[in-house]
Structure formats: C-alpha cells, structure tokens
C-alpha cells in the first residue's frame, strides 16, 4: 500500500487492514477444520441449518419472484405464517440482500459469504472507531479492530447465528454516533445509523446501544466538560437514539408483537457460570455453549491488562476504562443486570449474548493503552502476571483442552515480542538527535500528546493557553489534545515538526527546515491530531544523512518485524480458536448437510406436483431441516421460528403432530384426515436423511402421492350458540380432534391391551401423562434395563387392539421413543419411528392396514423408557373419509385466489354456516363476506373462519401483522420530527448566510465554547 495514501487516510487504511486480517483468519480456520466451503464437514449446525439458511432461501425466492407469499404472509410454512416478524428477526440486515447474487443451489455459500462479510465489516468499523477515539498507529488500529471482529463471541456463537453479527457491526457504529453527539456533528447520519442498526437486528442492537451508552458516559466523565455541556451532549445522544429507534419502529413493533403471540417455549432461569469457566473463555481455543466467549486475542488482552499500570496514561483514563471493563464483566454474572442486558427475559440457549459488548470494551481499553505509547517493561510484566494467574485459575475448567496451552504460549510470545520491539524503537527514537525525531504525532510511533491546562491525554479538552509537550516529539494545541479527531480549540502556540518515522506510524515530515510556529486557532482549522490532517504545517532543520538515515531504516525494520509478530499471533490464535469451535460444535449440536442431491430431488418432485393455491404440496414427513418448505418448496405444516404462533403449535399438537424445540418447531403430519382438512393434495415421500447417522440406511427413491382434497376454503355448518370453537375446545384424543375439524366421524378408537416383553401388564404412568409405561426390555447377556441393544422379536413390548377390517392403522405415542411395526397384516407394513425427550414429542404415524380378522398387533422396539397413552391406536375408515371429502368439495369454494396477505374465494350461491380458510387463525386476520366491512376473523377450532348468512357469494380475508400500524405511526412521527429539525437547521444556516456580520460577531463571541465542545 502506498505510504502517501496511509499518511493522508489512516482510518480507511486501518479499516481495510482489519477487514483483511479478519477474512484471512476466518477462512483459514475453516480450511484447518475442513469445514464448508473448504472441506467436507458441514457448518450448518443447530439454528444455522434449521433457520437461517432456509430463511435466506425464502428471501432468495422472494427477490426472484418465486415464493408463495410475500412480505406479509409466508404461505409455504406452517400452513400460512406471518412473515414480517420473521423478516425483522432473521432477514432485515442489508447484507441479507446479497443472496440474490448467488445461484439458488448455492444458498449455503451465500450465507457463508454474508457471515464473513459481516465479520469483516465489524472489524473495519471498530478500527475506524479506535482512531476516532484516540490518535495512534493506523496498523495497530487495524490489528485491534480485527481482534474485536474475531472475538470468541463472534467465532463461537455468532458465526452460526449470522443475525447476531449485525450487532457486532452496530456497536462501533453506535459508538461513533455518540462521538458525533458529543461534538454536535452529523446528527442526521447518526439517526440513520441508529435506525439501520435496529432494523438489521433489534435484539443485538439493543445490547449494542446499552454498550455505546456506557462508553459515552465514560467519555463525558473523562472530558471534564462543564455540567451544562455534558448534559447537552447526553441529550443530543438520547434524542438521536430515540429518533433512530422511532424510524425503525414499523419493523421493531411487528417483531415485538410477534413474540407476544408466539408459542412460549421453555422458561429458563439464569445461573452464573463458575469463575474458572469465565476466565477460561479469555484463552484461545476454549469452547463452551453456556459460558461467555471473551477471547479477544492475547495482544489485546495483555494491553488491556497493562492499562492500570501504564504510567504514561492519565490516572483518570486508567481508572475509568479499567473500572468500566470490570463493571460490565460483573454485570454479566448478576441476575438483575443479566436481565437488563437481555431485555428482561433470559434467552433460551446461551445466556451470555451480550458478551460482544465486553469484548469491545477490552479492545478499546487496549487501544487506549497503546495510544499513549507501548507500556514499559514493568507494566507488561504486570499484565503478563495477571494473564498467568487467570490461566492458572482457568486450568481447573473443563473448557480448557490440552492444545490450548501451546497456542497460548505461542500467542503470548508473539504479542510480547512485538510489543517489546515497538517499545525498543520508541526508546531509540527518544535518544536520537532532536533534528531526527521532531514532529511525531500523538500516540504515533511513540509520539507525545499535547497537554494544555486541562487534564490532557486526549480525554479532557477543557482549558486554554500555550500547550506544553510530553514525551518524545511534540504536537501542541492551545486547549489540549484533540480527542478522536475533533478540532483543537483555544488560542496559544502549536508546534509541529517533521521527521517522524512513517514505519512506526508517525506523521511524515512536512519539510526540512526550521520549526513552524502557528496560531492555535489556525491549527484547529487545519484538522485534528487523530488522523484528519496535521494541525499545522512547517519544516524542521535538516537532519544528517548518515547515521540518522541508517537509524531510521533500522527502526523501520524493527517496527516491521513487530507488526509481523503481532499480526501473526492474532491470525494464528484466532484461526485456532475458530477451528476448535467449529469442530467442538459438531460434537454436541445437531448438524445438517448443505444443499445436495437430496434437496435437489425433493425440490424437483415438489415442483412437478405443485398446484398452489388449488391445493397444497407437502415436502414430506421425512424432513431434512426444520424449515424444509422454504428450502425445497411446497406448502406444508413444517415451520421453525422463534416466532412460531401459539395457535399453530397448539392446533397441530391437538391433531397429533410432533414438534421439537419445545413446541416452536412443528413438523409435517402424514395423515389422510389432516391432509383433507388443510387441502394437501400432493405429498412427497423421501427416505430418511442419510446425513443423520442415527437414521436407518435407505436408498428408496423420492416419490409423490396424490389425493383428492377439498379447496382451500370450505363451508361448514354453523356452530351451536355458545359452543366453543377455539383451540381450547379440543380434547385429549387427536383422532376425535381431527373429526371435529373434518365434521365427520371417520375413526374407530379401540381399547388397547399393552404387554411387556415378558407378556406382563406394564405399570401405569404417573403424573399428567396418562398411559402405560414402556420400558426398554432386557436382552440376553445384558443386565440392567435401559440397554439400547437389539431385542429378539419375541421379547418386545406389544399393543393389541381390534380394528375394522381394511381400515388404516395409526399409532399416536407422543412420549414414546423407538420404532413400531404392525404384524400379521396382508399389506407390507410400515415402520413408524418415534422420538421424544424433554424438548420434543413424536408425531402420529400410519403403520399399515388392518387384516381381515381385525386383530391388530403392534410390536414396539423402545430405545428409552417412554409411555403409550390410552387411545393410542386409531383405525381410519377410508370410505367415510372419501365421502366427507366429496361433500366438502361440493360445498366448498368454486375458486380461490391468493396474493401475499389476501385470500379471495367465490362461494356457491346460498352458502350458509361458516366459511373456513385452511390456515391457522393467527393474530392479524380480518375477513368480510362480499363487500361488507372487514372484521377480525372468527376461529373454527384454530382455523380462520367467516360467518355466512346465505346471501354472500364471496369472502375476502386480509392479513395485517399486529403492531404494524402502531409502528408506522411512531415511524411517521419520528420522520416528521427529523424533517422539522432539518428544516430549522437549514433556515438558520440560510439566515446566517444572509447576515455574515451577525455570523462573524456570534462566532467571535462563542468561539471558545464551540471549539471546546466540538473537540470531542
């Protein structure tokens, strides 16, 4: 890179370096771990494969006009789900739009590239912020910016939760907004950045806003500004955040109300982790799902630990930043502050999602240490001792593996070696002839800060007068040094020189001649000492061309070697940490294969059978991920989101469906009755996913079955007056609940005889799970119950029942784990696979056809102790079902059209009773018959319903996400306020331009205050 470019634009150079280091380390880690896209191991673990990739695939379809639905309703998932809350939760980041540039079958690569790009931008933003806070070496800012982007939270937690990375980007940007609020600059840009951060991901933006607020409060305390000016700056920052959040309100309120209507899932309580686990996460290559990932790199950690002992930094700076880091660290372990960090709700999963804020503060503290010059040997020794103590305590943690120690030792050696080399170059410069070392910039290559009558050090900007210099080289400012690039105010004498070492990060010489003495006011106009340009210009006496030139070259070589050591240590330990996290995640989190032959076959089968909206096409019971319809197409029940509607989950559960993630991941239900209820006219049948090692090996090809089903809108008899028609009307039997929705009795639910493997009657289940206990039988040669070994057919538990001959046999056992198989059947029986635990229940499954005798025997092969409920077996009369379907087809809608959030249906003349839309009655549906006024939709056992009086020939239902109108009103008010403020500012500027004399007089009278305030 051209040095002249770096001299004039250190912030862009630092940002580019941070991004380059971040991308290099991130991709190198995946290459080392042999992870996608650099190896055979999938990176689609947990929610990345189940949620984020499928949602980005749906966004790709939306952007290319291929999705069923739009911004309001996603007709592919959950039989019709509200999409705007999901958009605001998973897809509202500007980076998400980049998926449109990739092929559809490379959606995993698109998400990976977006993840890398977000991480790199976070590092670039932090590097820019560091040079705004304090002047210093551009390459050091780039190095520490990458340390923030590659922090443990980013590598271990956010890398497979890409939406969280928007908070990683937002935090340094929000801190920049705080800096602008201090100086009263860029108010409109500040509001837009706040709005964009909250739109991209309001959850982590909330945490980032709290972190930026804490940093701003510390900056105000360190500035020493009068109370009135400090309150004014705080008021500007508060107003900026309020207006920005207000502009984001249309999306934020929709997400908020979406959470209110979501299935509750699990309620968790916070429990702080042990101290040794917290300290362990400071070290490289450690990993733990429920502990704070505090790794920021050994260089940044050593510098942050050295700050309290760095005598070159003012006491207030050392105390302020150190106390803030400690306070935030303690707040993560105390329940009240933990709740405050997480919007007063302990999250499901990792309880330390605010960790990136503490990582940022560690990096900023490290930058303040380095900006005052490399710490002395004693300070570095103290920091090393603290690191050794933390490592000793952390060695008792199970999160530290053996390979962590060599990585830590190498990283420490590289960090200390680089810092000591830099310290040596500063010492040699301070002993060089004066002509060869004048004019070095503050914090740049050992340069000094100008301290006016204020507390100096770039933090306290009050005071005027002639500046005195501290350290080697000098930059003088009349009112003290500039903080973060604000203009230096006051009057006095500013002295700048030339000849600082460019390799060490100093400002190049402006010339070779005598020193230039300029007025402080002129220095303020020319720019700040934070990289916006030299305060003054001038020349210095010519230096010797012999020893001085050789000394400069030697220092340049040493600084280059130091940079290599520091960057190498950063890249090496970050890559090792990321690679370890990638490998360890696969050991305890579920994982999914990227797009491949399985998804391609499913997608082709769905595409050939698709007939939406005449009927739905379900991508199948054998799911690949929790959101198959968004990945391979179709319109099914499957849906997994943090915002899965309560009514959807409860309705499908009552009908016999299964779910995981404690009710928020509903599955496809392969059942003839529910297919008729929800107008599923085609169903894809795939073999079990072969990527999952616990699934049986099966090479059966993908097939599609078709069946006659009623249209999407049907007409049912009006319910009896006062009758319950909500989800609460369902009873304990899913077979009877299906009949309630269908409107016809089609099942026989026989009495059961359950026997253990020994032929005995098993025990009854205690508690709220009425039924029979099914235990894992003993096998020959095994002792205790609970063995997972195979059992002989004669020693398996069984269920006996009597069904009508030729009926289809279903088994509903939501809390049973294992397989079930129908014996003595004329047709080829099916093997039903059931899985349940504390977070999931099994779906009802069809096992085959009852024999002519009607005697049904079901053999069970349990893999863990479970239960079989009373009424577990249902015998479906297929002839009755066909009759019911024909009746619903005859009385149903003649034509149905669907466009995003609007459904229109033409009904037969004289239709009476209730028109039922085969979609869950989630909050936001409004319907009307003919052209009548729309009203909130009624509910028909969990589905959307419209009462009919016999005169209507059509119904129209529209969907409006709850909270959208409120958010639009708040957003409109914020926009109007912003326009009014902008108009007033423009009027004042125009009036000032028309009366230059008044402007000059006003400026003269208020110049000291304005310069002092804006210096921040």
């Amino acid at each position: 890179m051209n040095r002249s470019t770096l001299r004039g634009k250190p912030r862009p150079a630092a940002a580019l370096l941070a991004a380059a280091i971040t991308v290099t380390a991130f991709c190198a880690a995946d290459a080392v771990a042999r992870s996608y896209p650099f190896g055979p191991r999938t990176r689609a673990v947990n929610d990345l494969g189940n949620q984020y990739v499928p949602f980005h695939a749906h966004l790709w379809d939306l952007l290319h006009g291929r999705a069923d639905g739009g911004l309001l309703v996603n007709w592919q998932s959950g039989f019709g789900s509200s999409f705007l809350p999901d958009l605001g939760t998973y897809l509202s980041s500007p980076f998400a739009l980049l998926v449109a540039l990739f092929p559809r079958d490379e959606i995993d690569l698109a998400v990976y590239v977006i993840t890398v790009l977000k991480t790199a931008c976070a590092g670039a933003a932090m590097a820019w912020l560091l040079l705004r806070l304090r002047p210093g070496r551009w390459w050091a800012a780039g190095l520490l910016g990458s340390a923030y982007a590659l922090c443990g939270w980013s590598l271990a937690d956010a890398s497979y939760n890409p939406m969280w990375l928007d908070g990683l980007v937002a935090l340094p940007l929000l801190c920049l907004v705080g800096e602008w609020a201090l100086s009263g600059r860029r108010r409109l840009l500040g509001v837009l950045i706040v709005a964009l951060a909250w739109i991209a991901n309001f959850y982590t933006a909330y945490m980032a806003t709290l972190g930026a607020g804490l940093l701003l409060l510390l900056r105000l305390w360190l500035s020493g500004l009068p109370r009135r000016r400090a309150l004014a700056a705080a008021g500007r920052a508060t107003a900026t955040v309020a207006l920005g959040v207000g502009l984001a309100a249309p999306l934020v309120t929709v997400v908020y109300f979406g959470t209110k209507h979501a299935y509750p899932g699990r309620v968790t309580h916070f429990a702080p982790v042990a101290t040794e686990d917290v300290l362990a996460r400071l070290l490289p290559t450690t990993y733990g799902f429920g502990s704070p990932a505090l790794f920021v790199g050994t260089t940044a950690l050593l510098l942050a630990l050295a700050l309290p002992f760095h005598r070159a930094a003012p006491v207030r700076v050392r105390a302020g930043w150190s106390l803030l880091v400690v306070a935030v660290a303690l707040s993560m372990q105390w329940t009240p502050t933990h709740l405050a960090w997480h919007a007063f709700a302990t999250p499901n999963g990792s309880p330390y999602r605010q960790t990136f804020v503490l990582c940022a503060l560690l990096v900023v503290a490290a930058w303040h240490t380095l900006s005052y010059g490399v710490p002395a040997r004693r300070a570095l020794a103290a920091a090393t001792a603290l690191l050794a103590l933390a490592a000793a305590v952390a060695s008792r943690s199970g999160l530290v593996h053996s390979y962590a120690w060599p990585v830590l030792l190498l990283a420490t050696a590289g960090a200390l070696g680089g810092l000591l080399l830099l310290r040596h170059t500063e010492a040699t410069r301070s002993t060089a002839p004066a002509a060869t070392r004048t004019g070095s910039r503050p914090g740049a290559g050992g340069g000094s800060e100008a301290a006016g009558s204020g507390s100096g050090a770039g933090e306290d900007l009050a005071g005027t007068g002639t500046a005195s210099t501290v350290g080697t080289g000098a930059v003088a400012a009349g009112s003290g040094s500039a903080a973060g690039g604000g203009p230096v105010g006051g009057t006095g004498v500013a002295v700048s020189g030339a000849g600082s070492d460019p390799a060490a990060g100093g400002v190049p010489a402006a010339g070779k001649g005598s020193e230039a003495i300029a007025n402080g006011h002129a220095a303020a106009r020319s720019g700040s000492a934070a990289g916006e340009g030299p305060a003054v210009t001038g020349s210095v006496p010519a230096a010797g061309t012999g020893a001085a030139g050789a000394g400069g070259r030697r220092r340049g070589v040493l600084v280059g070697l130091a940079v290599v050591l520091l960057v190498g240590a950063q890249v090496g330990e970050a890559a090792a940490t990321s690679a370890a996290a990638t490998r360890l995640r696969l050991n305890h989190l579920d994982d999914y294969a990227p797009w491949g032959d399985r998804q391609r076959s499913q997608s082709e089968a769905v595409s050939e059978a698709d007939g939406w909206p005449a009927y739905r096409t379900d991508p199948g019971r054998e799911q690949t991920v929790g959101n198959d319809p968004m990945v391979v197409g179709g319109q099914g029940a499957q849906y997994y989101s943090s915002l899965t509607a309560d009514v959807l989950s409860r309705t499908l559960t009552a009908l016999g469906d299964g779910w995981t993630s404690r009710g928020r991941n509903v599955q496809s239900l392969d059942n003839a009755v529910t297919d008729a209820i929800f107008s599923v006219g085609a169903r894809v049948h795939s073999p079990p996913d072969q990527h999952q090692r616990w699934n049986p090996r099966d090479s059966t090809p993908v097939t599609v079955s078709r069946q006659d089903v009623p249209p999407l809108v049907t007409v049912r008899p009006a319910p009896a007056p006062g009758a319950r028609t909500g989800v609460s009307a369902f009873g304990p039997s899913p077979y009877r609940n299906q009949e309630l929705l269908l409107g016809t009795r089609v099942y026989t639910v026989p009495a059961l005889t359950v026997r253990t493997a020994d032929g005995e009657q098993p025990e009854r289940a205690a508690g709220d799970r009425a039924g029979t206990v099914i235990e894992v039988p003993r096998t020959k040669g095994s002792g205790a119950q609970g063995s997972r070994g195979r059992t002989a057919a004669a020693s398996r538990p069984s269920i006996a029942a009597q069904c009508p001959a030729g009926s289809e046999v279903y088994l509903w056992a939501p809390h049973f784990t294992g397989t079930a198989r129908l014996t003595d059947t004329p047709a080829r029986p099916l093997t039903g696979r059931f899985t349940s635990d504390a977070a999931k229940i099994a779906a009802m499954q069809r096992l085959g056809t009852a024999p002519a005798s009607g005697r049904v025997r079901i053999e069970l092969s349990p893999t863990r102790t479970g239960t079989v409920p009373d009424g577990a077996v249902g015998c479906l009369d297929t002839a009755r079902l066909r009759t019911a379907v024909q009746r619903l087809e005859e009385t149903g809608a003649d034509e149905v059209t669907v466009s995003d959030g609007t459904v229109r249906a033409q009904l037969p003349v004289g239709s009476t009773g209730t028109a039922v839309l085969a979609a869950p009655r989630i909050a936001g549906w409004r319907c009307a018959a003919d052209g009548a006024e729309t009203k909130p939709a009624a509910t028909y056992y969990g589905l959307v319903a419209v009462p009919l009086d016999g005169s209507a020939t059509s119904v129209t239902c529209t969907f409006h996400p709850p909270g959208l109108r409120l958010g639009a009103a708040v957003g409109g008010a914020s926009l109007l306020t912003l326009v009014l403020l902008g108009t007033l500012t423009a009027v004042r500027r125009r009036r000032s331009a028309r009366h230059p004399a008044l402007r000059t007089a006003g400026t003269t009278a208020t110049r000291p205050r304005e310069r002092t305030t804006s210096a921040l």
Side-chain angles (χ1 to χ4, degrees):
M1 185 176 291
N2 193 309
R3 284 187 177 181
S4 62
T5 302
L6 302 183
R7 294 167 185 172
K9 299 180 180 180
R11 293 181 192 172
L16 288 175
L17 178 63
I21 294 175
T22 300
V23 171
T24 300
F26 196 100
C27 295
D30 289 328
V32 170
R34 301 186 67 204
S35 176
Y36 179 90
F38 301 102
R41 291 190 176 91
T42 178
R43 68 182 303 269
V45 298
N46 205 16
D47 289 347
L48 179 61
N50 256 335
Q51 290 181 307
Y52 305 121
V53 171
F55 274 111
H56 281 80
H58 186 68
L59 178 63
W60 191 99
D61 291 336
L62 278 174
L63 295 174
H64 290 83
R66 291 173 43 178
D68 294 326
L71 294 178
L72 300 181
V73 178
N74 169 18
W75 286 108
Q76 295 184 248
S77 304
F79 291 138
S81 59
S82 178
F83 182 64
L84 203 53
D86 284 332
L87 178 72
T89 302
Y90 302 106
L91 299 171
S92 53
S93 170
F95 293 95
L97 298 174
L98 295 176
V99 295
L101 305 179
F102 291 80
R104 179 63 164 76
D105 58 358
E106 295 288 352
I107 193 67
D108 297 274
L109 179 62
V111 173
Y112 180 82
V113 171
I114 289 172
T115 301
V116 175
L117 186 58
K118 284 184 180 182
T119 310
C121 288
M126 176 56 75
W128 195 286
L129 171 67
L130 295 179
L131 285 173
R132 181 66 175 82
L133 291 174
R134 287 279 304 160
R137 301 172 175 88
W138 68 269
W139 59 262
L143 178 68
L144 291 178
S146 69
Y148 167 72
L150 297 169
C151 67
W153 179 87
S154 171
L155 299 176
D157 295 334
S159 62
Y160 69 97
N161 293 278
M163 66 177 186
W164 292 355
L165 289 172
D166 291 289
L168 194 74
V169 179
L171 179 55
L173 295 180
L174 292 174
C175 291
L176 280 172
V177 172
E179 293 297 303
W180 297 337
L182 283 173
S183 60
R185 303 166 58 200
R186 299 174 181 170
R187 298 182 182 180
L188 176 59
L189 181 58
V191 171
L192 295 179
I193 287 178
V194 172
L196 188 60
W198 279 72
I199 288 173
N201 184 251
F202 84 98
Y203 184 58
T204 50
Y206 164 80
M207 302 174 193
T209 303
L210 292 181
L214 292 174
L215 189 144
L216 175 61
L217 290 176
L218 178 60
R219 293 279 290 165
L220 284 172
W221 180 69
L222 292 175
S223 68
L225 291 174
R227 180 177 299 178
R228 171 180 285 185
R229 297 185 204 168
L231 290 176
R236 287 194 298 269
T238 302
T240 300
V241 171
L243 288 173
V245 175
L247 290 179
L251 201 59
V252 173
T253 55
V254 167
V255 176
Y256 172 78
F257 281 98
T259 61
K260 293 299 180 182
H261 295 291
Y263 189 78
R266 180 181 63 172
V267 177
T268 58
H269 300 282
F270 174 70
V273 299
T275 301
E276 57 264 27
D277 288 343
V278 175
L279 295 178
R281 299 308 303 278
L282 286 167
L283 308 181
T285 72
T286 58
Y287 176 77
F289 181 74
S291 55
L294 295 171
F295 167 79
V296 290
T298 304
T299 300
L301 183 58
L302 282 173
L303 288 172
L305 292 175
L307 180 58
F309 312 102
H310 191 22
R311 294 186 177 182
V315 174
R316 284 163 64 95
V317 172
R318 287 185 278 164
W321 286 103
S322 300
L323 289 175
L324 181 60
V325 169
V326 172
V328 172
L330 293 176
S331 73
M332 297 172 61
Q333 294 286 82
W334 188 39
T335 299
T337 47
H338 157 83
L339 292 174
W341 278 113
H342 295 92
F344 303 97
T346 296
N348 293 325
S350 173
Y352 291 98
R353 299 180 181 182
Q354 80 281 35
T355 304
F356 72 100
V357 176
L358 181 55
C359 293
L361 293 178
L362 284 170
V363 169
V364 174
W367 173 250
H368 277 76
T369 301
L370 195 59
S371 68
Y372 291 101
V374 179
R377 294 178 182 271
R378 290 184 179 181
L380 289 176
T384 305
L386 288 177
L387 177 60
L389 178 61
V393 176
S395 64
R396 299 179 297 175
S397 171
L399 304 179
V400 180
H401 300 276
S402 58
Y403 47 77
W405 301 117
V407 175
L408 176 62
L409 290 176
L410 288 174
T412 303
L416 286 176
L419 292 175
L420 290 175
L421 281 175
L422 285 180
R423 178 71 183 176
H424 176 71
T425 60
E426 291 181 359
T428 56
R429 183 187 293 110
S430 64
T431 58
T436 65
R437 58 183 173 89
T438 55
S440 105
R441 257 183 155 179
S448 69
E449 288 297 326
S453 59
S455 62
E459 301 290 349
D460 189 342
L461 303 171
T464 60
T466 304
S468 61
T469 61
V470 182
T472 63
V475 172
S479 62
S481 64
V488 180
T491 58
V493 179
V495 179
S496 76
S500 64
D501 189 356
V507 179
K512 294 182 180 180
S514 62
E515 294 183 349
I517 301 177
N519 182 271
H521 178 51
R525 290 184 177 179
S526 65
S528 69
E532 292 186 352
V536 293
T537 59
S539 59
V540 295
T545 59
R553 286 192 295 273
R554 182 173 179 273
R555 286 195 300 272
V557 171
L558 292 178
V559 170
L561 180 59
V563 172
V564 170
L565 287 174
L566 293 174
V567 172
Q570 174 70 33
V571 172
E573 62 179 331
T577 301
S578 180
T582 299
R583 295 289 297 272
L584 292 173
R585 273 196 300 266
L586 291 172
N587 294 335
H588 75 276
L589 293 179
D590 53 310
D591 60 272
Y592 308 90
W595 180 280
D597 292 338
R598 177 180 175 85
Q599 293 90 337
R600 187 175 297 107
S601 299
Q602 290 175 321
S603 180
E604 292 173 355
V606 169
S607 179
E608 292 176 1
D610 193 26
W612 175 259
Y615 59 85
R616 287 185 167 104
T617 299
D618 194 301
R621 175 77 187 90
E622 288 292 348
Q623 66 184 43
T624 306
V625 297
N627 278 304
D628 269 353
M630 286 192 249
V631 178
V632 300
Q635 310 84 27
Q638 264 188 292
Y639 180 46
Y640 179 28
S641 168
S642 299
L643 303 165
T644 301
D646 180 81
V647 64
L648 170 66
S649 186
R650 294 187 187 279
T651 299
L652 293 180
T653 302
L655 298 178
D657 197 12
W659 44 251
T660 62
S661 298
R662 296 175 176 84
R664 291 191 171 182
N665 185 355
V666 293
Q667 301 173 351
S668 173
L669 181 56
D670 189 354
N671 178 274
V673 177
T674 55
D675 282 352
I677 291 170
F678 291 102
S679 189
V680 179
R683 177 173 289 277
V684 177
H685 302 276
S686 305
D689 184 8
Q690 301 300 285
H691 176 78
Q692 308 301 342
R693 59 185 179 276
W694 54 80
N695 283 338
R697 301 300 93 183
D698 190 342
S699 58
T700 304
V702 175
T703 60
V704 178
S705 62
R706 298 174 183 269
Q707 52 275 342
D708 290 333
V709 292
L712 204 62
V713 177
T714 56
V715 179
R716 314 296 181 88
R724 293 185 304 163
T725 57
V727 178
S728 60
F730 286 127
S733 172
Y735 304 111
R736 299 305 178 216
N737 294 336
Q738 290 180 13
E739 293 171 340
L740 191 63
L741 261 176
L742 183 66
T744 304
R745 182 62 62 90
V746 292
Y747 280 109
T748 297
V749 183
L752 306 181
T753 301
V754 184
R755 290 287 183 260
T756 65
D758 298 328
E760 303 294 331
Q761 186 174 355
E763 298 179 357
R764 297 286 298 174
D768 58 351
R769 294 182 181 177
T772 304
V773 176
I774 302 296
E775 296 182 336
V776 179
R778 297 178 180 178
T779 59
K780 293 181 180 181
S782 66
Q785 293 183 357
S787 170
R788 294 180 180 267
R790 295 182 178 179
T791 62
S795 62
R796 290 173 180 165
S798 64
I799 301 173
Q802 187 72 28
C803 286
S807 60
E808 288 189 350
V809 180
Y810 285 86
L811 177 63
W812 171 64
H815 303 293
F816 171 72
T817 300
T819 61
R821 188 177 181 85
L822 190 64
T823 63
D824 303 326
T825 177
R828 181 181 178 183
L830 304 173
T831 299
R833 294 185 296 115
F834 298 77
T835 303
S836 70
D837 55 29
K840 62 174 69 76
I841 64 173
M844 175 192 299
Q845 297 207 42
R846 184 168 65 93
L847 300 182
T849 305
S853 64
R855 290 190 294 270
V856 173
R857 184 176 183 273
I858 302 173
E859 290 182 349
L860 304 177
S861 299
T863 55
R864 68 161 62 97
T865 299
T867 61
V868 170
D870 299 331
V873 175
C875 311
L876 174 64
D877 189 327
T878 56
R880 287 187 179 181
L881 177 60
R882 284 194 298 270
T883 301
V885 169
Q886 290 173 1
R887 184 168 59 252
L888 290 174
E889 287 179 327
E890 292 171 357
T891 61
D894 298 326
E895 182 183 359
V896 179
T897 59
V898 179
S899 61
D900 195 0
T902 302
V903 178
R904 294 182 177 88
Q906 296 294 326
L907 303 178
V909 177
S911 297
T912 59
T914 303
V916 177
L917 170 63
R921 201 314 190 179
I922 56 179
W925 278 109
R926 298 178 66 86
C927 297
D930 282 343
E933 181 183 358
T934 59
K935 297 179 181 179
T939 180
Y940 186 82
Y941 305 109
L943 305 186
V944 178
V946 187
L948 302 175
D949 58 6
S951 62
T953 59
S954 67
V955 294
T956 302
C957 292
T958 56
F959 182 76
H960 300 280
L964 182 58
R965 292 180 179 176
L966 174 62
V970 174
S974 299
L975 181 60
L976 180 60
T977 302
L978 196 61
V979 170
L980 290 176
L981 291 176
T983 302
L984 289 175
T985 302
V987 169
R988 289 178 179 176
R989 288 177 179 174
R990 179 173 296 182
R991 183 177 301 174
S992 177
R994 292 178 177 177
H995 302 83
L998 295 176
R999 179 184 59 186
T1000 305
T1003 303
T1004 303
T1006 60
R1007 181 179 300 161
R1009 172 178 294 184
E1010 290 178 350
R1011 284 201 307 272
T1012 303
T1013 303
S1014 64
L1016 281 172

